[in-house]
Amino acid sequence: MSIDPSEPAALTGAGAARHRSRVSPPPGVLFLGVIVWTDDPEVDPTVIADRNPVVLARVVAITIHETLEDSEAYAGATEFLQSNPPPQDWVLPEDVDAWLEALREATPHPAYSFHHVPMTGGADGTNHTAVNRYLQHALQEREETLTPDSSPSTDAGRSSGRHLAR
């Protein structure tokens, strides 16, 4: 997978148009949100990228929320969605953080994690080799935390996302 800093994050609908209109030159870091839908290794995770960690956290949360609404595959999803505020009620970044933390406490899947990838070097400002290596390492770490015999010490390394939305 190659990350093109000139492309905006994977957004849908009206959010995509708003986001494209305010994209600035690439910073030194690209933020990634990884959503792991199941512990089945045959199901690929969803990776979403953005230059703004607050926008990324919201997009990850909305993506998960929409999937839970549209799928019967997640046990307890209806109850979770009914007992936690919907996206239209998320006013502050802390509201998104709270929803994501409630999801993490309620169910092991879908799971999410946040990562930052340094973007330096290369003709276009991106060192694709380093970015791809970092992404591969981050996904491998995530896969290891999802193995049935994972220890609490590997779970401690998971990012809560809280620091990104501030």
Side-chain angles (χ1 to χ4, degrees):
M1 174 181 171
S2 177
I3 298 172
D4 182 353
S6 66
E7 291 181 7
L11 295 175
T12 59
R18 274 195 317 276
H19 180 72
R20 282 187 200 104
S21 68
R22 58 185 162 86
V23 170
S24 59
V29 173
L30 180 67
F31 296 93
L32 300 177
V34 179
I35 304 170
V36 178
W37 300 104
T38 177
D39 59 359
D40 181 354
E42 298 296 316
V43 178
D44 290 331
T46 298
V47 179
I48 303 169
D50 201 291
R51 294 179 187 127
N52 182 322
V54 175
V55 171
L56 177 64
R58 180 173 284 275
V59 172
V60 166
I62 288 172
T63 301
I64 293 171
H65 189 278
E66 289 173 350
T67 301
L68 291 177
E69 277 185 324
D70 296 338
S71 175
E72 298 292 324
Y74 298 99
T78 302
E79 295 81 11
F80 176 79
L81 294 177
Q82 289 174 348
S83 63
N84 288 280
Q88 59 267 25
D89 291 348
W90 302 339
V91 178
L92 302 171
E94 291 82 2
D95 298 335
V96 176
D97 290 344
W99 190 89
L100 287 169
E101 286 301 315
L103 175 71
R104 179 167 285 163
E105 291 172 10
T107 183
H109 292 96
Y112 65 91
S113 60
F114 294 105
H115 310 272
H116 67 278
V117 179
M119 294 175 43
T120 58
D124 65 353
T126 305
N127 183 342
H128 292 285
T129 302
V131 169
N132 289 336
R133 187 179 314 121
Y134 182 87
L135 179 59
Q136 181 62 34
H137 178 71
L139 292 175
Q140 183 179 3
E141 279 183 347
R142 186 69 189 142
E143 185 176 312
E144 289 172 6
T145 64
L146 295 174
T147 57
D149 61 306
S150 66
S151 67
S153 63
T154 45
D155 288 339
R158 294 192 317 192
S159 172
S160 69
R162 183 173 313 239
H163 67 282
L164 292 177
R166 301 222 187 251

